[in-house]
Amino acid sequence: MTLVGQLLDHADALRFDTLPDETVNAATAFITDSVAVGLAGSRHARLAQVRAAAQSWGRGGDARDWASGEYHPAATAAMLNAYQIHNQEFDCVHERAVVHPMATVLPALVAQAERSGHAVSGKALIEAVVLAVDVATTLGSAQTAPMRFFRPAMCGQLGATIGLAKLANATRARTHEALGIAYSQLAGTMQAHLEGSPMLALQVGMASRAAVMSLDLARGGFAGPHDVIEGPFGYFNLFDAELAPRAAAVQAVFDEMKRCHRITEVSHKPWPSGRASHGALDGLLTLVQEHALKPQEITRIELAAPPLILRLIGRPWKLQMDVNYARLCLPYLAATLLLRGSVGLEDFEREALDHPARADLAQRVHTGANDCLDANALVPQSLTLHARGDTFCIDLPAVLGAPGRPLSSAQQRTKFDACCDYAGMSPTRSQSLHEACLNLPTSADIRDWVGLMKTAP
């Protein structure tokens, strides 16, 4: 059985009624989290530019921009909502895969449900989400080469396409064509991440749009290439390391997909910054609280981490940072945590970015490699603080928000409320939306739920 065949088999077999409660609860929790994060993303300074460009691609339509409530063609709505989920670096992540699955997947599926012309239940949406996340994170987890291409967008696009086909009750043959068409549109590299470019989040938006377009083309009868996962120019050979020498290891990862739904392996983000920064922030907060350290007492902060961490957030603080750069700059993030006790959405406004006290503390942050040789690992990490003439250390085998150290229900709710408040939503409306999110498994028509996402009545 080919790897593509195994993905299609998995799609054929997956049914909501056979999902464990743990899987349904996880899917509901991460849908709830993603909606709130997406609403907060509607405050991003560059969103107006993206919306303005999108208007030239067609007005009206049958799927909504969640925050504004404005209707767009489904592919455009998917792009806008995906961009809003990822543009604040606050969306959930599968750490092993290094994939933010919900950012690409959920907006595409909701857009498809809205334009379907009939009621789509919460059960159907959850079923498609679970499938799409399984596919996206399995592909990411099987990769071994250092990241050159932007995996969250690429894996998310392929997962979203199979999820869309499931939601649309497409045949196996049509799902296969849609997957080939989606593969033919893959794009997005780590250059945007390296530069802290706003294109980073837009790559996720464009991937969500491409997934919707891929299913449309397949339903219209268009054919795509078929051997897109393990072919000579398939996903693994082209975007990762050569497949043949590691075929058994890749197969082992695919076998895992049959035993456990990967939505249960996803991590919440407690702070709106790159997940690679969260180990250091977690350790820093712990040490400061345990030893009652004050910012002025800390003379040096040292993070020892795997090479991927250093690539993602080991960049220096600099004047006039773009907000996207700052979210991936550990010196700025650590300085912010020391001064404010946390890192919040408001810490990426222009005035905060140029704050002189943060600049001073940022110069005390240093990063270096530990002995981890895995090019895709986010853990283990360790943090050392020098203060009061003493040294304080902490090891970080699991980071706050991960399945091994999950956010509590209360912490998840606090994050939800903070995101909605930042987006300008009233507490009453936020409460109604939260209740609707939690009741999604019993919802008969998710279009009513989408209507509650509009930040203003």
Side-chain angles (χ1 to χ4, degrees), residues 162-284:
I162 291 184
L164 284 166
K166 182 77 168 180
L167 194 63
N169 296 313
T171 64
R172 181 187 179 99
R174 186 152 289 169
T175 302
H176 198 172
E177 302 296 355
L179 185 65
I181 296 167
Y183 175 73
S184 302
Q185 299 181 76
L186 290 185
T189 76
M190 290 297 290
Q191 191 63 35
H193 199 295
L194 180 68
E195 296 182 17
S197 165
M199 269 305 301
L200 185 68
L202 193 55
Q203 288 177 161
V204 169
M206 295 167 77
S208 193
R209 179 183 65 178
V212 174
M213 294 168 63
S214 298
L215 179 62
D216 288 347
L217 285 164
R219 293 171 82 182
F222 201 81
H226 290 170
D227 197 7
V228 297
I229 303 299
E230 56 197 305
F233 299 100
Y235 183 83
F236 285 120
N237 282 318
L238 195 61
F239 296 112
D240 192 40
E242 185 182 356
L243 180 60
R246 57 194 186 90
V250 171
Q251 183 59 61
V253 176
F254 272 64
D255 289 342
E256 292 172 6
M257 179 179 64
K258 305 165 189 174
R259 298 191 294 267
C260 176
H261 293 296
R262 297 196 185 276
I263 190 72
T264 63
E265 302 171 348
V266 173
S267 299
H268 278 100
K269 276 190 172 184
W271 300 289
S273 60
R275 181 60 175 172
S277 70
H278 286 194
L281 297 179
D282 187 7
L284 183 59

Side-chain angles (χ1 to χ4, degrees), residues 103-413:
T104 304
V105 163
L106 185 62
L109 294 177
V110 172
Q112 170 65 25
E114 280 208 272
R115 69 164 176 179
S116 64
H118 58 81
V120 174
S121 69
K123 289 182 179 180
L125 178 66
I126 290 171
E127 178 184 84
V129 164
V130 170
L131 170 61
V133 172
D134 277 350
V135 172
T137 56
T138 293
L139 290 170
S141 296
Q143 294 186 235
T144 58
M147 288 177 64
R148 297 172 296 153
F149 298 93
F150 192 51
R151 200 178 296 166
M154 302 178 82
C155 293
Q157 181 175 321
L158 297 174
T161 302
I162 291 184
L164 284 166
K166 182 77 168 180
L167 194 63
N169 296 313
T171 64
R172 181 187 179 99
R174 186 152 289 169
T175 302
H176 198 172
E177 302 296 355
L179 185 65
I181 296 167
Y183 175 73
S184 302
Q185 299 181 76
L186 290 185
T189 76
M190 290 297 290
Q191 191 63 35
H193 199 295
L194 180 68
E195 296 182 17
S197 165
M199 269 305 301
L200 185 68
L202 193 55
Q203 288 177 161
V204 169
M206 295 167 77
S208 193
R209 179 183 65 178
V212 174
M213 294 168 63
S214 298
L215 179 62
D216 288 347
L217 285 164
R219 293 171 82 182
F222 201 81
H226 290 170
D227 197 7
V228 297
I229 303 299
E230 56 197 305
F233 299 100
Y235 183 83
F236 285 120
N237 282 318
L238 195 61
F239 296 112
D240 192 40
E242 185 182 356
L243 180 60
R246 57 194 186 90
V250 171
Q251 183 59 61
V253 176
F254 272 64
D255 289 342
E256 292 172 6
M257 179 179 64
K258 305 165 189 174
R259 298 191 294 267
C260 176
H261 293 296
R262 297 196 185 276
I263 190 72
T264 63
E265 302 171 348
V266 173
S267 299
H268 278 100
K269 276 190 172 184
W271 300 289
S273 60
R275 181 60 175 172
S277 70
H278 286 194
L281 297 179
D282 187 7
L284 183 59
L285 185 62
T286 301
L287 289 176
V288 166
Q289 291 177 341
E290 282 184 357
H291 302 286
L293 297 172
K294 298 177 181 179
Q296 61 269 26
E297 295 176 325
I298 299 172
T299 57
R300 185 177 176 89
I301 300 169
E302 299 171 351
L303 175 70
L308 180 61
I309 296 290
L310 306 186
R311 285 181 59 203
L312 297 181
I313 51 89
R315 62 195 65 195
W317 176 90
K318 63 182 182 180
L319 281 171
Q320 293 297 308
M321 288 183 292
D322 186 270
V323 62
N324 300 281
Y325 184 100
R327 292 184 191 279
L328 302 166
C329 174
L330 180 60
Y332 175 78
L333 299 168
T336 298
L337 187 86
L338 286 173
L339 288 173
R340 299 192 62 253
S342 186
V343 177
L345 293 162
E346 64 279 5
D347 291 309
F348 298 94
E349 306 291 345
R350 186 74 263 162
E351 182 178 353
L353 294 176
D354 295 333
H355 194 280
R358 300 188 201 208
D360 176 59
L361 285 169
Q363 310 303 321
R364 306 177 197 181
V365 179
H366 305 271
T367 60
N370 59 18
D371 57 3
C372 177
L373 300 179
D374 186 341
N376 293 291
L378 295 177
V379 291
Q381 302 179 45
S382 61
L383 191 77
T384 301
L385 298 188
H386 299 272
R388 302 174 186 162
D390 205 346
T391 300
F392 306 91
C393 303
I394 186 171
D395 291 325
L396 300 158
V399 178
L400 182 63
R405 287 186 62 207
L407 295 187
S408 67
S409 296
Q411 288 172 315
Q412 292 177 38
R413 180 60 190 271

Side-chain angles (χ1 to χ4, degrees), residues 44-99:
H44 195 281
R46 296 188 185 275
L47 180 59
Q49 299 168 342
V50 180
R51 281 177 171 161
Q55 292 289 349
S56 67
W57 304 333
R59 296 176 180 269
D62 43 19
R64 282 168 280 188
D65 176 326
W66 298 345
S68 72
E70 185 177 0
Y71 279 89
H72 298 276
T76 299
M79 184 199 74
L80 290 171
N81 292 323
Y83 174 71
Q84 289 174 80
I85 288 177
H86 195 56
N87 67 21
Q88 307 250 32
E89 287 284 352
F90 213 1
D91 52 313
C92 60
V93 61
H94 189 283
E95 295 186 19
R96 179 183 174 192
V98 198
V99 168

